[in-house]
Amino acid sequence: MATANSTETGQGLRLIAPPLLYAILMLAVPLLTILAYSFFKDGYLTIVREFTLENYRATWADPIFRTILARSLMVAAMVTAVTVLMAFPVAYFLSFVVAPQRKALWIFLITIPFWTSYLVRVFLWKVILGFNGVINSGLKTIGLIDEPLKFLLYNTGSIVMTLSHSYAPFAILPIYVALEKIDRSLLEAGRDLGESRLMTFWRVTLPLAMPGVVAAVLIVFIPTIGDYVTPTVIGGGKIPMVANLIQAQMLDIDNKPLGSAIAISAMAVVAVLSLLFLFLNRRFLRVRA
Amino acid sequence: MNRLQGSGLRVYTLIYLAFLYAPIVLLPIFAFNNATVIAFPLQGFTTNWFVQMAENPTLRQALLNSLLIAVSASVLATCLGIFAARASTRFDFRGKGPVMGLIMLPLVLPEIIVAVSLLVVLLAAGVGLSIFTVILGHTLICMPYAVAILSTAFSSLDKSLEEAAYDLGETKWSAFRLVILPLVMPGIVSALLMSFTISLDEFIIAFFLAGNQPTLPTYIFSQLRFPKSIPMIMALGTLLVLMSIVLLTLAEHFRRRGVARTGQTDTGGFI
């Protein structure tokens, strides 16, 4: 038994070695390197390899960093709430209303916009919301307004809307998968025991769908925090988020240790919040669907 | 399901789809609009922007670079993905969880983190930034998608088919080539097309790792600042959207054929 097991381990590890090696070289080593850099000193064109906590002190003492991090967290939280709330009925429709043989087609239709030119899509929201944009010129043409509405673009609201649009399928798919796993006889049981349709949803469907909702929240929240394009294009550079700060330190200012400390700090905050969120939802995750 | 409730959800989903497709629908409208400003009312039909696009040498270079990167990254990611998917579906080995976790990590990591950390390492290792370094980065982020698609293909394989091949005297490699490979081929094609689409559209990693070489997304990004370039970008966007839809439809076609070939029921979707 032990030999069989070790050969299986050996065979498995031999087979997975190439992608594993690639992930170690291109992901694990780089991540550990920026972790190390965040403790080094910046010597203008070189990196001074002396241990220091100065980068972290500078990062957290900087009010700009704290403002931008708070803004990024708030934007990501709003995007997550909007995206998941808007996605849930769609996932529910896909799972409970659409006929099984048509499900693949619906999912395909929902995922298509997600895979098509991210930059152009984000820019088009600027075209839709802008000063001379589709909404303003449309409203002017039909005579509803005389002056273009200025509150549509270059604010947090428009960033939230654009990001919600970008990450929609990310939220729909995990919720859909969780809903698909629900044993339909449980819902019938709830109804047979005299629960109303709404109460059955609240006490049976929703708790069983929670693993999908939790996955959707994390899968939207984490990449949104690090989005670079939307704050740049839709925020007009006036509403930077963490990614803009990292980019500026790494490329424009070229202080790699400080940039690394900012990146690691932001990642640590996101990791802590994600773990906290998982912990708060632990009773739903223990449920075996 | 209550009929009325079902139709309410259907209407909601259709409105949601309209929201998802709104920007994409506007693209061709402005690509053929005879005006330098992107606004209503429309000014008449023109194909000038497509002509301008075709005559732009930087754009041609960016397209060539992007195609080279996307082809290389999708082939590399799919090859690496085959190893990972085969190992994780066929063998139960110690450390499988953490190993697969690391390979799939780019799926949830913000791309800026991947880009920044790769940049630091490549510069420290003295590797000059070029198309090659973008290929390295894109292979990394395409790999998890390829693994996800290929795992579905490999997990549906009947182990007895492989054992039958051994009993009939095939070697490990020839059994893989003659029995397993044809069965998972649709999955491989689907993974290739998916990775190609992702790489072609990826901006952040290319922005950090391409040095001074343009790719399509970095070129588009650089032009967004210039109002007079916008109509041409709309024309380019129209073509890119068309191409993505064709590629994704092909990927979906092959994915479904793979599902049919191995006799599963279709649960749908890429993820």
Side-chain angles (χ1 to χ4, degrees):
Chain A
M1 192 63 213
T3 23
N5 230 338
S6 66
T7 29
E8 180 142 336
T9 297
Q11 277 181 313
L13 285 177
R14 257 202 308 282
L15 197 55
I16 209 161
L20 176 61
L21 205 66
Y22 195 81
I24 289 175
L25 279 177
M26 294 295 153
L27 187 62
V29 169
L31 287 177
L32 291 174
T33 308
I34 58 165
L35 182 65
Y37 265 45
S38 70
F39 293 107
F40 289 158
K41 279 184 193 157
D42 183 47
Y44 297 102
L45 291 173
T46 56
I47 307 296
V48 184
R49 287 163 200 268
E50 274 171 47
F51 181 85
T52 174
L53 289 171
E54 177 54 28
N55 298 313
Y56 285 99
R57 202 202 55 75
T59 301
W60 287 94
D62 182 4
I64 297 175
F65 169 75
R66 291 202 303 260
T67 311
I68 289 179
L69 182 66
R71 177 190 295 138
S72 306
L73 290 172
M74 191 192 70
V75 166
M78 279 161 70
V79 170
T80 309
V82 170
T83 312
V84 173
L85 285 177
M86 276 174 43
F88 196 94
V90 177
Y92 191 87
F93 170 77
L94 286 178
S95 181
F96 284 84
V97 182
V98 174
Q101 67 273 19
R102 302 186 64 97
K103 283 182 179 176
L105 178 69
W106 275 93
I107 291 172
F108 183 58
L109 276 178
I110 285 170
T111 35
I112 274 194
F114 175 69
W115 297 115
T116 46
S117 198
Y118 177 59
L119 271 173
V120 174
R121 249 184 316 138
V122 170
F123 181 75
L124 279 163
W125 280 108
K126 192 175 174 179
V127 168
I128 293 173
L129 301 170
F131 193 74
N132 287 315
V134 173
I135 292 183
N136 274 326
S137 49
L139 287 176
K140 246 174 28 189
T141 312
I142 56 172
L144 269 176
I145 51 168
D146 300 323
E147 286 296 307
L149 307 169
K150 284 182 189 153
F151 60 85
L152 293 173
L153 196 60
Y154 303 129
N155 58 43
T156 322
S158 47
I159 292 182
V160 169
M161 206 185 96
T162 309
L163 283 170
S164 304
H165 181 263
S166 303
Y167 286 93
F170 267 156
I172 293 173
L173 292 173
I175 299 173
Y176 166 75
V177 170
L179 288 172
E180 281 290 277
K181 282 189 192 152
I182 295 177
D183 185 351
R184 300 304 197 252
S185 59
L186 290 174
L187 306 181
E188 281 169 33
R191 300 278 288 144
D192 288 348
L193 292 168
E195 293 277 32
S196 69
R197 203 175 288 279
L198 200 65
M199 282 310 280
T200 312
F201 174 80
W202 183 248
R203 292 174 47 161
V204 183
T205 314
L206 194 57
L208 289 175
M210 275 311 275
V213 174
V214 170
V217 165
L218 292 179
I219 227 168
V220 174
F221 185 76
I222 298 174
T224 317
I225 284 262
D227 194 89
Y228 175 83
V229 173
T230 302
T232 312
V233 173
I234 299 291
K238 292 183 214 91
I239 312 170
M241 285 178 36
V242 160
N244 304 82
L245 199 61
I246 296 173
Q247 187 268 342
Q249 281 298 341
M250 283 290 186
L251 295 183
D252 302 345
I253 304 171
D254 196 22
N255 185 339
K256 297 213 164 57
L258 189 55
S260 301
I262 294 173
I264 298 282
S265 300
M267 267 166 73
V269 170
V270 172
V272 167
L273 286 176
S274 304
L275 290 175
L276 189 70
F277 183 75
L278 283 173
F279 178 76
L280 290 175
N281 285 288
R282 66 194 180 284
R283 75 188 180 93
F284 297 116
L285 300 177
R286 238 185 282 128
V287 177
R288 298 268 297 136
Chain B
M1 175 52 59
N2 181 322
R3 242 244 175 78
L4 198 71
Q5 211 182 338
S7 60
L9 281 170
R10 184 179 297 271
V11 170
Y12 174 81
T13 305
L14 289 174
I15 294 171
Y16 192 88
L17 273 183
F19 165 67
L20 284 185
Y21 279 87
I24 296 178
V25 171
L26 287 171
L27 258 181
I29 296 179
F30 290 119
F32 289 109
N33 183 30
N34 192 8
T36 46
V37 181
I38 306 293
F40 284 114
L42 299 175
Q43 303 292 325
F45 182 85
T46 180
T47 51
N48 277 351
W49 311 123
F50 287 91
V51 175
Q52 200 185 88
M53 179 181 75
E55 285 167 354
N56 186 319
T58 323
L59 181 59
R60 203 170 307 142
Q61 187 57 46
L63 176 69
L64 282 178
N65 288 346
S66 271
L67 288 177
L68 184 65
I69 292 167
V71 168
S72 316
S74 56
V75 170
L76 280 169
T78 307
C79 288
L80 291 168
I82 291 173
F83 284 100
R86 173 76 174 149
S88 72
T89 51
R90 175 72 169 75
F91 299 106
D92 209 8
F93 52 92
R94 224 178 314 136
K96 184 163 138 183
V99 166
M100 287 309 286
L102 178 67
I103 292 174
M104 301 303 274
L105 186 62
L107 217 50
V108 288
L109 214 56
E111 277 177 10
I112 183 117
I113 301 290
V114 177
V116 161
S117 56
L118 262 174
L119 175 79
V120 166
V121 163
L122 291 169
L123 290 183
V127 182
L129 298 179
S130 67
I131 294 173
F132 174 71
T133 45
V134 182
I135 295 174
L136 291 180
H138 281 186
T139 303
L140 182 74
I141 59 154
C142 291
M143 192 163 65
Y145 289 94
V147 173
I149 294 170
L150 290 163
S151 293
T152 325
F154 276 109
S155 67
S156 56
L157 281 180
D158 190 347
K159 210 172 166 180
S160 57
L161 288 174
E162 196 188 335
E163 282 160 2
Y166 295 149
D167 291 346
L168 292 169
E170 296 292 346
T171 64
K172 242 180 180 168
W173 167 243
S174 66
F176 182 80
R177 194 171 56 85
L178 294 170
V179 179
I180 299 171
L181 210 54
L183 284 171
V184 294
M185 199 38 111
I188 292 176
V189 176
S190 178
L192 277 173
L193 291 168
M194 210 58 197
S195 307
F196 183 88
T197 315
I198 292 169
S199 167
L200 199 64
D201 195 34
E202 203 288 329
F203 166 69
I204 284 288
I205 291 174
F207 184 55
F208 273 81
L209 300 183
N212 52 12
Q213 290 279 350
T215 70
L216 275 183
T218 56
Y219 176 74
I220 292 174
F221 187 76
S222 71
Q223 294 304 302
L224 291 181
R225 273 175 298 154
F226 307 114
K228 72 172 173 52
S229 305
I230 299 303
M232 186 191 76
I233 296 298
M234 296 285 131
L236 176 62
T238 307
L239 290 186
L240 286 177
V241 166
L242 269 180
M243 197 165 86
S244 304
I245 291 176
V246 169
L247 286 173
L248 291 169
T249 311
L250 280 175
E252 172 72 1
H253 169 78
F254 280 105
R255 191 191 62 79
R256 284 193 193 184
R257 223 169 76 180
V259 169
R261 196 177 279 189
T262 47
Q264 300 162 279
T265 46
D266 193 356
T267 46
F270 290 112
I271 299 176

